[in-house]
């Protein structure tokens, strides 16, 4: 073999692959695409025609914004596995973008409220109230109840504790938020207040138990008189029942949810997945999601622990919420439904109506 007979020079290869010679030299250094041959005397790089396909794939993946380590991984895979990897990468991008979109929306609402506060200092013009009920139940299988549920005039909260000290931990997290219930909360100040409160709750959890072995989910809504601020971490959930439709307004921070997001698992398969109770985030691990919701008269909110959603399907939850106008009755019927389905976990529900 003389070596360069069927080879393309870097210039020809660059034109054919629509990559610049500079990019090709970079990919060589990064070991993404090594030339088929490097002349030992001149140092010139030569490429084989068969390398064009890989070069194009590298270029496309760069355009997609995939990090170099990911590109290296995809290039080493068979086409079907490479397709799965790209789908998973894109799902992660969309999830991250959704979190950033929510944060951007939150900041827009927050700053709009701060701006409006100059016109009507510290006060909301709409004065709506909450009618609420909360109940937490041990279920039929667990030896103790590690959930905590709370509802007051301004604060609604559900926490699902885990670890040997799960019960005091979830209790401490909710207790640390309780001061919000008696404080006047102007909508423009709610971001600072919630951040402060969550920091307090995290400290409280660390105070009562070893954070290496214990933790808790926390899903809470803070009422300002016209808006609801939501703080959420873990796999407890918040739902909104509006105009007969049930909408989930939180995203589970769980292993199973991330597999669903990445297209590796269907929601149907998730129910029986061995890791279905594993959390990606909880209080003391990770940052909670923050959101601000505009509320309307007639809205109904549900906060619940996974003891409800693991065994009662969403269409049934919607039926029970619709059939029981009284919050107290709605909460009872949801807890009963979880226990009728075997009650395998502690179950907590908070229902609040905007009236
Ligand atoms: Mn649970």
């Amino acid at each position: 073999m003389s070596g360069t007979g069927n080879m393309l020079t870097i210039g020809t290869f660059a034109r054919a692959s629509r990559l610049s010679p500079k990019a090709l030299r970079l990919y060589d250094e990064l070991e993404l695409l090594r030339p088929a041959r490097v002349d030992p005397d001149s140092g010139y790089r030569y490429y084989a025609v068969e390398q064009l396909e890989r070069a194009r794939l590298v270029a496309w993946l760069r355009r997609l914004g995939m990090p170099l380590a990911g590109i290296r991984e995809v290039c080493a895979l068979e086409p079907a596995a490479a397709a799965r990897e790209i789908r998973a990468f894109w799902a992660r991008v969309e999830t991250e973008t959704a979190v950033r979109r929510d944060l951007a929306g939150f900041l827009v609402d927050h700053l709009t409220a701060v701006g409006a506060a100059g016109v009507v200092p510290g006060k909301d013009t709409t004065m709506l109230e909450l009618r609420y009920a909360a109940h937490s139940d041990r279920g039929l299988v667990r030896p103790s109840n590690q959930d905590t549920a709370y509802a007051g005039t301004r604060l609604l909260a559900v926490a699902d504790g885990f670890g040997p000290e799960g019960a005091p931990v979830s209790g401490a997290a909710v207790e640390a938020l309780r001061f919000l219930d008696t404080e006047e909360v102007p909508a423009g100040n709610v971001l600072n207040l919630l951040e402060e409160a969550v920091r307090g709750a995290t400290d409280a959890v660390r105070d009562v138990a070893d954070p290496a072995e214990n933790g808790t989910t926390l899903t809470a809504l803070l009422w300002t008189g016209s808006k609801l601020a939501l703080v959420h971490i873990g796999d407890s959930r918040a739902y909104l029942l509006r105009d007969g439709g049930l909408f989930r307004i939180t995203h589970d921070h769980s292993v199973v949810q991330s597999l669903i997001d990445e297209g590796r698992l269907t929601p149907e398969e998730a129910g029986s997945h061995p890791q279905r109770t594993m959390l990606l985030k909880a209080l003391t691990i990770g940052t909670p999601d923050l959101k601000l919701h505009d509320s309307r008269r007639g809205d109904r909110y549900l906060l619940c622990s996974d003891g409800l959603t693991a065994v009662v399907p969403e269409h049934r939850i919607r039926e029970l919420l619709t059939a029981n106008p009284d919050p107290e009755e709605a909460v009872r019927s949801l807890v009963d439904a979880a226990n009728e389905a075997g009650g395998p976990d502690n179950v907590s529900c908070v229902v609040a109506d905007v009236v």
Side-chain angles (χ1 to χ4, degrees):
M1 288 272 287
S2 66
T4 53
N6 295 319
M7 297 280 171
L8 306 177
T9 63
I10 190 164
T12 313
F13 191 74
R15 276 191 296 282
S17 62
R18 294 171 183 276
L19 289 162
S20 68
K22 192 177 161 206
L24 288 172
R25 281 192 289 272
L26 177 69
Y27 295 171
D28 181 9
E29 278 158 29
L30 296 171
E31 297 178 24
L32 289 175
L33 185 69
R34 313 231 70 162
R37 185 175 176 276
V38 180
D39 188 285
D41 300 323
S42 65
Y44 286 157
R45 294 167 168 87
Y46 294 93
Y47 292 84
V49 177
E50 301 76 52
Q51 289 186 287
L52 270 175
E53 199 167 338
R54 174 152 181 174
R56 290 193 186 111
L57 180 60
V58 169
W60 285 327
L61 292 173
R62 296 272 290 172
R63 254 168 87 178
L64 197 59
M66 186 178 273
L68 294 174
I71 296 179
R72 204 173 287 136
E73 206 173 302
V74 167
C75 286
L77 294 171
E78 295 298 311
R84 271 199 300 281
E85 209 49 52
I86 294 167
R87 190 185 298 125
F89 163 74
W90 191 248
R92 283 196 298 276
V93 170
E94 289 193 328
T95 306
E96 285 159 17
T97 306
V99 170
R100 292 174 61 202
R101 182 195 59 215
D102 289 347
L103 181 58
F106 183 94
L107 289 171
V108 167
D109 286 346
H110 170 64
L111 293 170
T112 306
V114 169
V119 183
V120 187
K123 281 277 174 199
D124 287 312
T125 45
T126 344
M127 281 323 284
L128 298 170
E129 274 181 28
L130 292 183
R131 221 164 36 128
Y132 49 85
H135 185 63
S136 183
D137 190 89
R138 182 176 61 87
L140 304 177
V141 175
R142 296 288 173 90
S144 65
N145 189 355
Q146 301 195 315
D147 282 6
T148 299
Y150 177 83
T153 39
R154 292 197 181 89
L155 178 72
L156 313 167
V158 162
D160 180 347
F162 55 87
E165 306 292 324
V169 160
S170 72
V174 172
E175 189 57 41
L177 298 186
R178 284 273 300 270
F179 78 95
L180 295 170
D181 209 19
T182 49
E183 205 145 292
E184 188 74 24
V185 184
N189 201 23
V190 76
L191 172 69
N192 300 335
L193 259 179
L194 263 184
E195 270 195 330
E196 207 176 286
V198 170
R199 216 175 301 134
T202 308
D203 290 345
V205 163
R206 290 208 178 96
D207 285 348
V208 295
D210 178 3
E213 287 179 24
N214 301 277
T216 184
T217 72
L218 180 64
T219 301
L221 286 168
L222 181 60
W223 180 242
T224 68
S226 63
K227 286 177 191 293
L228 274 166
L230 169 75
V231 60
H232 165 72
I233 191 158
D235 69 349
S236 300
R237 289 180 183 177
Y239 288 92
L240 166 65
L241 184 75
R242 177 178 281 179
D243 303 328
L246 185 69
F247 308 94
R248 202 212 293 185
I249 57 174
T250 51
H251 192 79
D252 293 353
H253 300 135
S254 64
V255 171
V256 157
Q257 183 63 50
S258 70
L259 291 173
I260 294 170
D261 293 344
E262 292 177 9
R264 296 176 200 247
L265 201 68
T266 66
E268 294 70 40
E269 290 165 337
S272 56
H273 195 277
Q275 289 186 309
R276 65 187 171 279
T277 60
M278 280 196 52
L279 296 180
L280 288 179
K281 286 190 194 179
L283 217 55
T284 76
I285 316 153
T287 320
D289 298 339
L290 290 170
K291 265 195 222 178
L292 206 56
H293 268 261
D294 275 312
S295 288
R296 291 194 215 147
R297 198 184 311 266
D299 281 350
R300 168 169 268 194
Y301 287 88
L302 164 69
L303 306 186
C304 60
S305 62
D306 68 332
L308 177 72
T309 48
V311 291
V312 182
E314 286 184 356
H315 69 86
R316 184 73 188 132
I317 292 175
R318 192 184 65 81
E319 282 169 11
L320 291 168
L321 285 173
T322 310
N324 293 281
D326 178 49
E328 194 76 43
E329 282 167 16
V331 160
R332 292 275 159 200
S333 72
L334 291 166
V335 170
D336 287 349
N339 284 334
E340 278 157 25
D345 192 4
N346 307 142
V347 54
S348 299
C349 296
V350 173
V351 168
D353 292 328
V354 179
V355 293

